Amino acid sequence: MVNTTTLSPPMECPEQGAPRSSRLQPVAGPSDTGSSNAMPGTGRTLRTRLRWRRGRQASAVPRLYQATDAAGDGLWDWDMASGAVWYSPRWQTMLGFTPGEVPPHVEFWRSRVHPEDLPLVESVLAAHLSGERPVYECEHRVRTKSGAWLWILDRGRVVTWDEERRPFRMIGTHVDITARKRIEEELAESRLQLDAILDNAPVGVLLVDRDRVIRRVNQSVAATFQHRLEDMVGCSARVIYGDDRVFEELGRRAYPYMQAGGQFDEEVVMRRADGADIRCRLIGRSVKAGDSDRGYVWVVEDVTVRWRAEQALNDRAGFQRVLLDTVPVPIFVQDVMGHYVDANSAFERWMGIDRQALFGRTVFDLAPPHIAEADEAVDKALLADQKPQSYETQLRCADGTLRDVLFSKAVYCRTGGKPAGIVGAVMDISERKHAEQALLERQQLFEQIFVASCAVKLLVDPADGRIVDANPAAAEFYGYPLDRLRSMHVQDINAAPRSVVERDLHHAGSAGQRHFQFRHRLASGEVRDVEVYISNIVVHGRTMLMSLVHDITERCLAADALRRKTRELERSNAELEAFAYVASHDLRQPLRVITSYLTLLERGLGKSLDEEARECIDFARDGAQRMDRLIVDLLEYSRVGRKAKPFRPVPLEEPLRLALLNLEVAVQDAGATVTVDMAGDGAPPMTAGDGVAPAVAGDDNELMRLFQNLIGNAVKYRAPGRPPIVRVAMAADRQDGAAVWRIDIRDNGIGIAAEDRERVFGIFQRLHRRDEYEGTGVGLAVCKKIVEHHGGRLWVDDPPADEADDLRDEDGRPCGSLFRMVLPALDAQGETGGEAPSPP
């Protein structure tokens, strides 16, 4: 309520306990007022009736206040002009005051309203006074006498207006709604708690109606099935099932059972939004048994990981069973009481007893008493300290032989660390014992060989280079007495600088290098080239270098002579290649002259030439042209590896596509079909299995000629009446540990006989007459030279038997030829995986 100075307060009426009327009354109706035209005596009757009505109203007001108090509601009557307020006794006791203790003014009420609620109260009251609202009604908090806060439903209405139609008097009630507010807060808190539980539950929760329509769902369900919450609400539960039959069948079984008060619990295959099937555990109950209108609650738990783990566990158990039976070492399992509970096949064979018959027995049933007692004592100690134990003993196996064995035992525990039993393995070490004896004998033999061998041997300490031992052959080679040599250091006999010798000793001691080449100085002062092969041996716990020294002086001299001869040959070959190139190039000029003059001769003689003369001219021209092609092919053959550009990383796709572009006309004329499968995936450009595109280090022009010659031959040497089909396939492979690209070029042509597959790569080698197929017999020789120049290999192989129908002849047999080559592959750093020569 707001105070306004335009209103005057009503006067209290202590005698009646209620306020009396002010000087203004509610506006009277026409029946309450006199008229100047009224008949005599009528005015007195109307005044009597008015007084009677006012008296009746005055007597009814106290009864109304008493009834309101009896109902437990407070009543207030506000004179808005003066701010005086009459508060009913119940209004005062509601706030903890005794009747008459409350000041009769509106400011008292204002001071009791909660400061946070006062702006709202004033705005609602102002809206009523301005006529925007027909009544004043507001819920707010009021401070009691004890300082506590009550929630009040405050209602009121202006009942009297002055002559200027301004509000004059307002009456209202106070209703204590604290209990209702507390219930609402508890309900709101319960709702928030329920929402929090649902939103944070680790499992999914759905509420569906009797028609299996989703009415509520938590975030876990949306995350499990990858749907949005808002999209799931209102949808049929079918959206989370992968199969209609599963949806319908589960509905037939689950809902009648839940309707009867049961709890349904089952694992079902369901489906996520991305189409992936998942395995879920469904737990469902009716909200109220027998009342399907209340709906059903489903708990959904994604158990895909657990299910897969169980499957993996079962697989692992089977794998472990197979593994145990595959292991050749006898293995057994005992419980804490010493009873055998399991064993593998090797143990069965060793003991000559079936594992089923072994179950429940103890070591006393299998071994002599003295061995069984010793074994039992070891097992008790093992169970006590739970530390794995290994010990050697002798055991008689099923064939009756007594063998040396090594028992290895360990305790396996249940969850919580309590011992569950013992796992033991029996290893036959009879051979090891024999090997140890043989090793001792070999050690003695080694010492004798070290001394008696004619090879030069030194035993060197890598820490300081001291020669710990040497054999007589070393003393003879170096020219020092044996005692003197054993007191020297390798630095005394090595002609290299001391720092280099110490570095090499370090490399040899750390097993970083095994082979060295030095120059050693003999006692006579002569320096000899030697190869030293070093191996680490342990002598009394110390690592020593066993050095085997070979005198390679003569070999080094021969190698120097060979290098000089090689350089001379390289120079001579270069001159020969240059000569062949120049000679071949100059040979083409006379051929062009011959061809030109033959043309002039034919043109000049014209029609005077008879048929025989023209045939002679044609033979001469054809011979000149064939000679020119031979020279051109010879030039191309000589250029391979000689005029090559420096090698660079070349994606095989580039020269292959350029070759196909050059052969486009020939392919179309022949009606051929050429397909390319890069790295086995069907379409270039693609990558191999390790993510590296097919690439080599090489010359792109030479690689283009390689593909052009091989594919062109496949198109040219086609079988009559059969459209050519050429298939190029590239795939990653490994040869001798190096990464390579394997390239197959397969066709359905006339093929190459097995006895001719090596000969076709020779220069000027032809398998057909010139009137059958054109060519000079140089193309395949060029291809082989290009492949070898790139560090690869090219050959002709048998067509595979599992060919497609279009690569078979009329009899259903594989036809055509298969050219195969391998080229060193480039890795991600642009380096070749194998040894590939670099261009000169």
Side-chain angles (χ1 to χ4, degrees):
M1 293 179 288
V2 281
N3 190 14
T4 172
T5 59
T6 60
L7 302 179
S8 58
M11 299 299 296
E12 279 198 65
C13 184
E15 295 79 11
Q16 297 178 359
R20 60 179 177 83
S21 176
S22 65
R23 68 181 184 278
L24 297 181
Q25 300 295 333
V27 179
S31 61
D32 293 334
T33 60
S35 174
S36 59
N37 298 325
M39 296 177 59
T42 304
R44 288 195 300 272
T45 302
L46 292 176
R47 284 193 295 272
T48 302
R49 188 180 299 171
L50 181 60
R51 284 196 299 271
W52 176 81
R53 181 177 294 177
R54 288 175 178 172
R56 186 178 178 86
Q57 290 176 349
S59 64
V61 169
R63 289 197 297 271
L64 176 62
Y65 292 162
Q66 292 171 3
T68 306
D69 279 349
D73 298 338
L75 190 68
W76 50 268
D77 191 339
W78 178 22
D79 188 324
M80 304 179 71
S82 64
V85 181
W86 174 82
Y87 303 104
S88 70
R90 176 56 186 156
W91 192 100
Q92 300 178 53
T93 57
M94 189 184 301
L95 271 63
F97 295 96
T98 58
E101 187 179 358
V102 174
H105 200 276
V106 71
E107 290 299 329
F108 174 78
W109 167 81
R110 185 193 305 276
S111 66
R112 290 285 162 175
V113 177
H114 197 288
E116 295 179 0
D117 299 341
L118 187 59
L120 174 64
V121 173
E122 291 181 340
S123 64
V124 174
L125 181 60
H128 171 61
L129 297 179
S130 64
E132 295 180 11
R133 294 190 177 186
V135 296
Y136 160 70
E137 181 174 348
C138 184
E139 293 181 0
H140 60 83
R141 289 166 289 180
V142 178
R143 182 164 48 86
T144 64
K145 181 178 180 180
S146 65
W149 295 97
L150 292 181
W151 275 98
I152 298 296
L153 172 60
D154 197 1
R155 292 194 184 102
R157 183 170 66 86
V158 176
V159 296
T160 305
W161 308 79
D162 61 11
E163 295 84 351
E164 299 179 0
R165 298 301 298 168
R166 292 178 299 180
F168 183 79
R169 182 182 178 191
M170 189 171 179
I171 297 177
T173 61
H174 269 204
V175 181
D176 185 359
I177 60 171
T178 304
R180 192 196 78 190
K181 281 290 187 179
R182 185 177 298 112
I183 292 174
E184 290 177 354
E185 291 175 357
E186 291 176 355
L187 288 175
E189 185 176 357
S190 298
R191 188 177 296 107
L192 291 174
Q193 290 175 352
L194 177 60
D195 292 342
I197 291 173
L198 290 178
D199 292 340
N200 295 281
V203 294
V205 180
L206 298 97
L207 179 63
V208 301
D209 60 16
R210 61 187 303 172
D211 297 323
R212 302 179 74 179
V213 176
I214 299 174
R215 296 305 178 191
R216 183 158 187 185
V217 63
N218 68 347
Q219 187 63 45
S220 294
V221 173
T224 298
F225 294 100
Q226 298 183 356
H227 288 285
R228 296 191 307 171
L229 282 174
E230 55 270 21
D231 293 340
M232 297 187 70
V233 176
C235 292
S236 170
R238 170 66 184 84
V239 72
I240 59 176
Y241 286 85
D243 193 335
D244 288 336
R245 291 175 298 177
V246 175
F247 175 71
E248 298 296 339
E249 192 271 335
L250 187 138
R252 285 192 298 269
R253 292 190 297 107
Y255 283 86
Y257 182 68
M258 293 188 293
Q259 180 70 14
Q263 176 175 297
F264 183 81
D265 190 341
E266 191 172 301
E267 291 186 6
V268 179
V269 176
M270 311 188 82
R271 183 164 295 172
R272 294 194 317 226
D274 60 359
D277 288 338
I278 59 176
R279 194 174 186 89
C280 295
R281 180 187 179 191
L282 299 182
I283 303 175
R285 289 187 66 91
S286 175
V287 175
K288 184 176 181 181
D291 187 359
S292 60
D293 293 333
R294 297 291 183 90
Y296 303 87
V297 175
W298 286 99
V299 176
V300 182
E301 181 184 5
D302 185 357
V303 296
T304 306
V305 175
R306 188 203 70 194
W307 180 78
R308 289 175 179 169
E310 291 174 353
Q311 295 297 317
L313 185 60
N314 293 335
D315 295 343
R316 189 177 298 112
F319 167 76
Q320 290 175 352
R321 180 76 266 165
V322 173
L323 179 62
L324 283 176
D325 288 340
T326 306
V327 173
V329 176
I331 299 175
F332 61 88
V333 183
Q334 294 173 295
D335 61 16
V336 292
M337 301 301 295
H339 299 97
Y340 290 98
V341 295
D342 198 4
N344 67 344
S345 300
F347 191 82
E348 290 179 322
R349 293 190 299 269
W350 180 278
M351 300 303 301
I353 184 172
D354 183 78
R355 73 184 69 175
Q356 299 298 329
L358 182 68
F359 188 84
R361 296 191 180 189
T362 66
V363 66
F364 288 93
D365 300 321
L366 305 178
H370 67 283
I371 296 179
E373 291 174 358
D375 189 77
E376 184 182 40
V378 171
D379 291 347
K380 289 181 179 179
L382 178 63
L383 291 170
D385 59 16
Q386 299 187 19
K387 294 181 180 180
Q389 294 184 1
S390 296
Y391 58 94
E392 295 181 5
T393 185
Q394 288 186 323
L395 187 65
R396 195 172 301 278
C397 58
D399 60 2
T401 59
L402 189 65
R403 304 181 70 85
D404 294 308
V405 295
L406 173 67
F407 269 102
S408 298
K409 295 183 177 181
V411 175
Y412 68 96
C413 300
R414 297 187 179 93
T415 303
K418 186 177 180 180
I422 296 174
V423 177
V426 182
M427 184 174 294
D428 185 359
I429 60 172
S430 299
E431 295 183 0
R432 194 191 77 185
K433 287 289 187 180
H434 295 314
E436 290 176 353
Q437 180 62 32
L439 181 61
L440 180 61
E441 294 174 358
R442 283 197 299 269
Q443 183 176 359
Q444 296 174 354
L445 179 62
F446 169 77
E447 292 177 353
Q448 295 177 4
I449 292 175
F450 180 81
V451 174
S453 175
C454 60
V456 178
K457 297 184 181 67
L458 300 175
L459 189 62
V460 180
D461 187 348
D464 55 4
R466 183 170 56 89
I467 300 174
V468 178
D469 200 358
N471 66 343
E476 182 181 356
F477 174 73
Y478 287 105
Y480 293 102
L482 196 56
D483 293 339
R484 171 84 173 95
L485 189 59
R486 288 171 177 169
S487 65
M488 297 174 63
H489 292 72
V490 292
Q491 294 88 337
D492 299 329
I493 61 175
N494 199 315
R498 189 179 188 86
S499 59
V500 176
V501 177
E502 292 176 352
R503 180 198 63 195
D504 292 339
L505 280 172
H506 175 72
H507 288 169
S510 61
Q513 192 173 350
R514 286 285 174 264
H515 174 259
F516 297 88
Q517 183 170 334
F518 297 119
R519 304 197 72 195
H520 281 187
R521 184 179 293 106
L522 308 183
S524 62
E526 181 184 1
V527 177
R528 307 287 291 181
D529 292 300
V530 296
E531 273 185 347
V532 182
Y533 296 90
I534 296 177
S535 60
N536 293 352
I537 62 173
V538 178
V539 180
H540 300 299
R542 297 172 57 194
T543 300
M544 298 293 176
L545 302 180
M546 173 59 72
S547 304
L548 184 61
V549 182
H550 294 278
D551 186 0
I552 59 170
T553 305
E554 301 300 328
R555 191 181 76 187
C556 290
L557 294 176
D560 290 339
L562 182 60
R563 282 192 292 271
R564 288 194 299 272
K565 180 63 70 175
T566 300
R567 287 194 296 269
E568 181 64 24
L569 288 175
E570 289 175 351
R571 184 190 60 78
S572 176
N573 286 338
E575 292 178 354
L576 288 175
E577 288 182 359
F579 173 76
Y581 174 76
V582 172
S584 300
H585 187 272
D586 291 343
L587 284 175
R588 296 190 67 193
Q589 181 61 30
L591 290 175
R592 284 194 292 269
V593 173
I594 293 172
T595 303
S596 299
Y597 276 98
L598 285 173
T599 302
L600 291 176
L601 181 62
E602 183 181 21
R603 188 183 304 164
L605 294 177
K607 297 181 180 180
S608 62
L609 290 173
D610 57 11
E611 189 64 26
E612 183 178 359
R614 290 183 181 278
E615 186 177 359
C616 291
I617 292 176
D618 291 339
F619 283 155
R621 183 185 293 111
D622 181 65
Q625 291 174 350
R626 284 191 288 109
M627 176 63 76
D628 186 67
R629 285 197 298 271
L630 283 171
I631 294 172
V632 170
D633 290 344
L634 182 61
L635 287 174
E636 182 178 1
Y637 182 80
S638 66
R639 288 193 186 101
V640 175
R642 185 171 60 86
K643 292 295 185 179
K645 298 179 292 185
F647 277 7
R648 66 173 182 85
V650 178
L652 293 177
E653 173 193 358
E654 296 179 2
L656 177 57
R657 286 185 173 174
L658 186 57
L660 292 176
L661 182 62
N662 294 339
L663 294 170
E664 184 175 4
V665 175
V667 170
Q668 291 178 356
D669 290 344
T673 301
V674 181
T675 59
V676 179
D677 184 2
M678 303 286 283
D681 54 13
M686 297 299 291
T687 59
D690 56 359
V692 180
V696 300
D699 185 331
D700 52 354
N701 288 330
E702 289 188 355
L703 293 173
M704 184 273 294
R705 291 202 301 273
L706 170 66
F707 287 121
Q708 183 172 323
N709 285 348
L710 292 176
I711 299 174
N713 282 353
V715 174
K716 180 170 67 174
Y717 294 101
R718 57 184 178 272
R722 191 161 58 210
I725 295 177
V726 184
R727 292 179 180 171
V728 182
M730 298 185 186
D733 201 353
R734 301 193 73 84
Q735 290 192 359
D736 299 330
V740 297
W741 287 108
R742 187 183 70 251
I743 306 169
D744 293 348
I745 299 180
R746 178 77 171 89
D747 64 66
N748 66 339
I750 60 176
I752 300 174
E755 61 272 13
D756 295 329
R757 290 175 182 172
E758 290 293 333
R759 189 166 65 90
V760 292
F761 293 109
I763 191 169
F764 301 129
Q765 295 295 322
R766 292 178 50 84
L767 304 182
H768 307 280
R769 299 192 308 272
R770 290 186 177 88
D771 57 350
E772 293 178 337
Y773 297 97
E774 294 183 356
T776 60
V778 180
L780 289 179
V782 171
C783 293
K784 188 174 183 64
K785 191 173 182 181
I786 290 174
V787 172
E788 291 176 348
H789 180 225
H790 285 77
R793 189 165 63 92
L794 173 66
W795 73 98
V796 181
D797 208 344
D798 292 325
D802 55 343
E803 288 286 8
D805 293 339
D806 54 1
L807 294 178
R808 295 178 179 271
D809 58 16
E810 293 77 5
D811 298 328
R813 295 171 299 184
C815 62
S817 58
L818 172 60
F819 281 82
R820 283 187 164 171
M821 71 180 90
V822 290
L823 294 173
L826 284 179
D827 58 15
Q829 287 73 33
E831 299 179 355
T832 58
E835 293 293 332
S838 299

